[in-house]
Amino acid sequence: MAREQLFVGLEIGTTKICVVVSESLPDGSIHILGVGETPSRGVRKGEIIDFSSVSECVREAIIDAEEKSNVEIRSVWVAISGAHLQSFNNRGTLILPEDHNAINDEDLRMVEMNAKEVILPPSNAFLHTIIQNYHVDGNKNVINPEGMMGSRLDADFHIVHGVKTRIQNTLRCLENMKLDVEDVVMNSLASAQVVLTQHQKDLGALVVDIGGGTTDFIVYVDGAVRHSGVLALGGDHITNDVSIGLRLPIVRAELLKIEEGCALPPERSLGGKINLKNDPGFSGCEIDRKALDTVIHARMNEILQLLKREVERGCHLDLLGAGVMLTGGCTRLKGIASLAKEIFQLPVQVTTMDNLSGPTSTFENPQYSTAIGLTKYANAVYSQIPEETFFSKITNTLGGLFRRR
Amino acid sequence: MSCRIVGVGNAGGNFLDRLLLNNPFFSGLVAINNDLDALTSSVVPMQLALPPEQELLTALEQVLPQFEAEIQEASVILFCAGLGGETASTLLPHLAAAAKKAKKLTLACVTQPFSFEGKRALSLAVEAISSLKKICDGVVILDNNRFASSSASKAALGETFTASDEAMQVFLPNMLAMLSSKGPVRINRSHLLKALSRAEEKIYFGYGQASGSNRLHEAVERLFKSPQLQGGRVLAKCSAIFMQLRGPKDLSFAEAQAAMQEVERVVGEESDIQLSVSAEEPAGAALQIFILAVEEKAEKKEVVPNVEKIPASVPKKSEPSEPSPAAPLPKPSVKELPLDLPELNLSEEILEFQKPATAKSVTKVKQMQGALNFTAAQRGRFDKSEPTIVEGEDLDTPTYLRLGLKLS
């Protein structure tokens, strides 16, 4: 296997920092070589708040991944999250001269540039410009206009932008470790690479990645990204609520959430008491299960209701034929799929990752979907770009990945 | 309501210049100075020049009729000056007296000199402030040393002066806006004036502005970081708080409510908060919060027993028990008795007096219990992180608490 076909995905999450080393197989699938992981410190709601702590954690995770995969890591693909990420759809238009022969690569770049001619807040920068559809002389939904004749080229793009300095903080953290950053990818976009098939994207699907500090989502309609965003709410909020409501230390509240937590309404609670054993610094106690379920359900219900409202701003739920795919660490919470189904009134499933090989414990765990998705994203980018021009063309052709096939 | 802002001396003129440069449409500015060079370079259209060769008060007498004519149409006169120099410290009390004599609402916002400016400058400033407090309806004092202490130790001198100037730039227009607020929710002007005139000790102010989705909380955060508010702590001891919220038309009810809640968290229980809301700023303008807080001088009531009026039922013990050495008790004086003291209250006080003597039993100072801030407990681990605000609601606060759900 050539060295260039190894990909490293790095996710700096609120709960954990995860590094996945994988290699691409000839059939287009991904083989995971190793996963490095360390609990995260210095990250809140998906954003870095303590630079040195995060740097230290990333270093530990990288070393862990190097040891497990027996690969020396020099460059990474990084996932980014945070409520500062925003998105919108915009159309670029290019009037082609009469003597123009056929639409070429340069025209596609020009139309993309036109679509990006919008006024962002001064502190923000573009993160992704993802093609949705081309229109040639009013002919809608052209998948690839290259080589076609036409006098007017329109292109719809999904544009993601975020606060420049917050994105740079992530990059600086890696620069200090002499790691090259191949690209920065929005969390949900990376997750969607592994949890959705092309067929599901064509049918229309919502991917929800509920992590510790954020809930990232992306909506695909007709095979293209229609809407995306980040809510600064996640599993940490559930833990915090449990800690305050049941008067437990954060660590015990987190454990209780993982072991006994349920997102279903308290009316459907099993009832009874949960016995918490003594720990150093914590004298055991009995917890009322219904109280625990009340706290968790209230928060989870709120997150999903907010998410529903946010998704509805971008597209109608009826367009999501494939339903809702839940991923991220928080989806291990019992009853979350049922609750989401009640709220969205759509088929909901906690996703599994297909087309992967390697340690099953890795790809069966929704916690790793973003980091694994990054490597799949990298593989897809890499496979579409000739090797010699990889670095120069990478940003210009990213959009092609998300085109309808 | 028409206002005049009068800048006295070099610093006062500078304040007005900066104000005018920041907002060229500001009208009603008057600069008074005996430094003709400074006046020549000033952009303030209305200038009253005092002949530099004459004594200050003699020169003032010459321009006073002109000054009185200038303020005749106005109902509020707002003086601004940097005290410590001869000109402002001498002229300001006289000008304020003239304005007051003309029955104008007279307010002053002055800066106290930096400590390095010397004792003489400080004594001049203290003397002027003392006079102004007697004359004006309200005096706001900006202590330059506070700006110096809040700047980095290696900060340039100019930076520290700029901080002082900026505070003045915030105060002047916001104070005027508060006095002439036209929004749907207004501050009762008579309450404001009454509070200002009652203030014997201190008036504080703070300002914050922000744009974006989390503008309210960012603005409140900046407000509390204002040099005078000391993180909002001084609000706890203020009896009257006037808050002005200004923003574009999309300023929401939830934001006004959240602003009030944020401020209520830090103020004392007995504080009277009055809010003015105006959504008349142009679209895209930042949300602005301005607070003016008045700290009333705590009244010390000397309560001493009236031996002659002790009711029969109360044992006649004119000699109090031995005061504790830690809190020596002043010997009660019968001569100092307030004659109109109600009898019932007096006997209660005597009963208290018979208890083991403490300073508390004799000197009754209005005590204010600090408000316990529940915010930190409610937000738990998110206490120090950027809040997640959706439609004015802080989603870091547990959902079950916001929904009022009871946990069995």
Side-chain angles (χ1 to χ4, degrees):
Chain A
M1 184 64 61
R3 194 74 176 170
E4 304 87 75
Q5 286 168 303
L6 292 173
F7 302 110
V8 181
L10 165 66
E11 185 200 6
I12 302 175
T14 310
T15 316
K16 60 162 193 351
I17 290 175
C18 176
V19 180
V20 169
V21 183
S22 70
E23 63 180 359
S24 62
L25 300 178
D27 62 355
S29 64
I30 291 283
H31 177 71
I32 296 164
L33 297 174
V35 177
E37 188 184 355
T38 181
S40 184
R41 296 188 303 274
V43 183
R44 275 271 186 281
K45 298 181 184 177
E47 295 178 38
I48 295 172
I49 57 164
D50 183 346
F51 195 77
S52 57
S53 295
V54 172
S55 299
E56 191 53 41
C57 292
V58 171
R59 192 185 305 278
E60 285 169 21
I62 292 277
I63 291 168
D64 191 25
E66 282 181 335
E67 283 173 359
K68 286 176 179 165
S69 61
N70 198 24
V71 169
E72 188 187 344
I73 297 172
R74 291 177 185 167
S75 63
V76 291
W77 295 71
V78 185
I80 194 160
S81 184
H84 65 102
L85 296 181
Q86 293 172 0
S87 71
F88 62 92
N89 297 323
N90 200 32
R91 177 173 288 191
T93 300
L94 185 68
I95 305 298
L96 301 163
E98 280 181 16
D99 57 349
H100 201 67
N101 290 327
I103 296 167
N104 56 32
D105 196 39
E106 182 60 26
D107 297 327
L108 300 187
R109 268 202 293 274
M110 283 297 292
V111 81
E112 184 182 330
M113 291 293 287
N114 291 345
K116 285 166 80 173
E117 280 183 1
V118 286
I119 300 171
L120 294 184
S123 55
N124 282 28
F126 291 103
L127 186 64
H128 294 292
T129 312
I130 305 167
I131 183 67
Q132 294 175 322
N133 288 303
Y134 289 106
H135 308 261
V136 181
D137 292 337
N139 181 11
K140 292 180 182 176
N141 299 332
V142 175
I143 295 169
N144 186 359
E146 213 168 341
M148 288 175 72
M149 299 296 291
S151 59
R152 179 191 169 112
L153 173 67
D154 296 287
D156 294 327
F157 287 92
H158 181 71
I159 295 172
V160 182
H161 61 102
V163 176
K164 211 183 304 177
T165 49
R166 298 190 189 189
I167 299 170
Q168 282 168 343
N169 280 339
T170 308
L171 301 181
R172 271 204 60 211
C173 182
L174 302 171
E175 275 170 19
N176 289 350
M177 280 178 277
K178 312 285 183 205
L179 281 174
D180 290 335
V181 177
E182 300 277 11
D183 200 4
V184 180
V185 185
M186 184 171 61
N187 260 24
S188 53
L189 186 59
S191 297
Q193 303 311 306
V194 281
V195 301
L196 286 185
T197 62
Q198 186 59 40
H199 181 60
Q200 287 171 317
K201 289 177 186 175
D202 291 340
L203 280 175
L206 164 66
V207 176
V208 183
D209 183 341
I210 312 178
T214 59
T215 297
D216 301 64
F217 69 92
I218 191 163
V219 180
Y220 280 85
V221 174
D222 290 337
V225 179
R226 175 67 66 89
H227 189 29
S228 63
V230 182
L231 301 178
L233 296 167
D236 277 3
H237 284 83
I238 301 176
T239 307
N240 190 51
D241 292 3
V242 171
S243 167
I244 293 172
L246 306 179
R247 296 184 182 83
L248 294 173
I250 283 283
V251 180
R252 289 307 302 238
E254 175 72 17
L255 206 60
L256 182 66
K257 177 190 81 175
I258 292 168
E259 290 174 353
E260 304 287 347
C262 178
L264 294 174
E267 301 82 55
R268 286 152 69 180
S269 170
L270 295 173
K273 301 280 183 188
I274 303 165
N275 192 23
L276 299 184
K277 291 176 184 169
N278 288 347
D279 254 353
F282 172 70
S283 54
C285 62
E286 273 196 339
I287 296 291
D288 186 65
R289 188 182 290 276
K290 201 169 180 182
L292 175 68
D293 291 351
T294 304
V295 172
I296 295 178
H297 171 73
R299 176 61 80 174
M300 210 59 240
N301 183 58
E302 180 177 63
I303 293 175
L304 293 174
Q305 292 284 5
L306 277 171
L307 184 68
K308 185 186 172 196
R309 268 160 48 195
E310 189 54 45
V311 171
E312 280 176 331
R313 280 186 203 171
C315 84
H316 202 280
L317 291 181
D318 288 346
L319 297 173
L320 306 178
V324 181
M325 311 293 154
L326 298 179
T327 187
C330 204
T331 54
R332 290 187 296 170
L333 194 68
K334 292 183 205 91
I336 193 167
S338 304
L339 180 65
K341 196 174 177 182
E342 283 170 20
I343 291 170
F344 285 96
Q345 297 290 308
L346 286 170
V348 175
Q349 67 180 88
V350 175
T351 56
T352 52
M353 290 170 259
D354 296 328
N355 247 2
L356 297 172
S357 60
T360 47
S361 60
T362 304
F363 58 80
E364 282 181 354
N365 190 339
Q367 278 193 84
Y368 302 122
S369 62
T370 302
I372 296 172
L374 278 172
T375 62
K376 200 163 182 188
Y377 177 96
N379 183 36
V381 172
Y382 198 84
S383 65
Q384 288 207 351
I385 300 165
E387 200 172 332
E388 64 274 16
T389 56
F390 174 66
F391 292 106
S392 60
K393 287 194 173 180
I394 186 167
T395 50
N396 299 329
T397 50
L398 274 178
L401 277 174
F402 311 102
R403 197 174 296 151
R404 278 182 71 189
R405 284 177 191 160
Chain B
M1 188 194 67
S2 61
C3 304
R4 290 284 182 279
I5 303 181
V6 183
V8 184
N10 285 343
N14 281 342
F15 294 145
L16 297 193
D17 281 344
R18 287 179 69 111
L19 194 64
L20 207 54
L21 291 172
N22 290 340
N23 187 352
F25 302 105
F26 225 107
S27 59
L29 307 184
V30 182
I32 301 179
N33 204 346
N34 65 344
D35 184 341
L36 299 185
D37 290 341
L39 279 181
T40 310
S41 59
S42 171
V43 291
V44 179
M46 183 62 212
Q47 300 178 350
L48 299 180
L50 277 67
E53 64 282 359
Q54 292 183 7
E55 283 289 319
L56 275 171
L57 292 179
T58 318
L60 178 64
E61 276 175 22
Q62 291 184 21
V63 297
L64 212 48
Q66 207 180 341
F67 172 72
E68 285 166 350
E70 190 56 39
I71 64 168
Q72 196 174 15
E73 299 298 322
S75 52
V76 179
I77 313 298
L78 184 47
F79 290 97
C80 60
L83 297 181
E86 286 276 355
T87 313
S89 305
T90 310
L91 295 181
L92 198 49
H94 291 274
L95 289 165
K100 194 70 193 159
K101 193 178 168 187
K103 295 185 179 171
K104 311 292 179 192
L105 174 74
T106 311
L107 303 171
C109 184
V110 293
T111 58
Q112 270 188 328
F114 290 99
S115 53
F116 66 76
E117 291 181 66
K119 285 181 183 172
R120 177 171 160 70
L122 185 63
S123 72
L124 277 172
V126 168
E127 206 175 307
I129 288 168
S130 165
S131 305
L132 285 171
K133 280 186 174 174
K134 288 174 192 162
I135 300 163
C136 294
D137 295 299
V139 182
V140 178
I141 302 155
L142 303 178
D143 186 356
N144 278 343
N145 291 309
R146 183 174 289 283
F147 295 111
S149 61
S150 59
S151 305
S153 56
K154 287 184 180 176
L157 184 66
E159 280 179 42
T160 315
F161 274 108
T162 304
S164 166
D165 278 359
E166 280 172 359
M168 191 69 89
Q169 298 309 308
V170 163
F171 176 77
L172 296 173
N174 280 293
M175 187 67 214
L176 290 184
M178 190 177 269
L179 283 166
S180 55
S181 61
K182 291 171 185 168
V185 184
R186 300 178 198 181
I187 286 171
N188 186 322
R189 203 177 142 206
S190 65
H191 283 182
L192 175 61
L193 299 182
K194 202 172 164 187
L196 290 176
S197 62
R198 270 204 317 258
E200 291 182 24
E201 279 298 308
K202 283 180 180 173
I203 299 174
Y204 306 98
F205 71 89
Y207 174 79
Q209 69 162 38
S211 308
S213 57
N214 193 26
R215 60 186 182 179
L216 177 86
H217 289 266
E218 285 173 13
V220 170
E221 200 176 316
R222 284 170 195 160
L223 169 83
F224 289 149
K225 282 182 183 167
S226 300
Q228 285 206 325
L229 296 193
Q230 297 173 15
R233 288 190 297 279
V234 297
L235 296 180
K237 56 186 178 182
C238 291
S239 55
I241 291 162
F242 300 91
M243 181 162 73
Q244 179 176 253
L245 190 63
R246 288 195 292 167
K249 281 185 180 165
D250 64 347
L251 177 66
S252 67
F253 173 77
E255 283 176 315
Q257 204 172 22
M260 195 62 159
Q261 283 170 355
E262 292 272 7
V263 174
E264 275 177 341
R265 282 173 185 163
V266 295
V267 302
E269 278 183 7
E270 293 178 11
S271 299
D272 174 24
I273 309 177
Q274 290 202 30
L275 177 67
S276 147
V277 182
S278 159
E280 291 174 351
E281 298 297 307
L287 184 145
Q288 304 170 56
I289 303 180
F290 175 71
I291 270 189
L292 187 80
V294 180
E295 180 191 352
E296 280 184 74
K297 192 177 183 179
E299 289 174 21
K300 290 187 176 181
K301 292 177 185 171
E302 289 290 333
V303 181
V304 284
N306 181 352
V307 269
E308 291 173 9
K309 288 189 179 179
I310 292 172
S313 60
V314 180
K316 189 175 178 179
K317 285 188 179 177
S318 59
E319 286 176 17
S321 54
E322 278 297 308
S324 65
L329 192 69
K331 195 177 176 183
S333 160
V334 177
K335 288 178 185 175
E336 289 174 12
L337 277 175
L339 296 174
D340 56 346
L341 209 58
E343 201 166 276
L344 179 65
N345 290 347
L346 185 64
S347 60
E348 283 172 355
E349 293 298 341
I350 290 165
L351 284 171
E352 192 167 341
F353 191 73
Q354 287 168 340
K355 292 174 189 170
T358 60
K360 187 185 168 188
S361 65
V362 179
T363 307
K364 202 167 185 180
V365 180
K366 188 181 175 187
Q367 297 275 327
M368 277 182 68
Q369 186 178 6
L372 184 61
N373 193 349
F374 283 103
T375 324
Q378 282 182 345
R379 300 185 78 233
R381 73 192 306 180
F382 300 110
D383 181 33
K384 287 176 183 168
S385 61
E386 193 177 4
T388 302
I389 306 290
V390 175
E391 292 168 3
E393 209 171 9
D394 185 353
L395 299 190
D396 291 338
T397 307
T399 316
Y400 78 92
L401 279 178
R402 282 182 278 117
L403 297 177
L405 298 177
K406 284 185 181 173
L407 303 181
S408 54

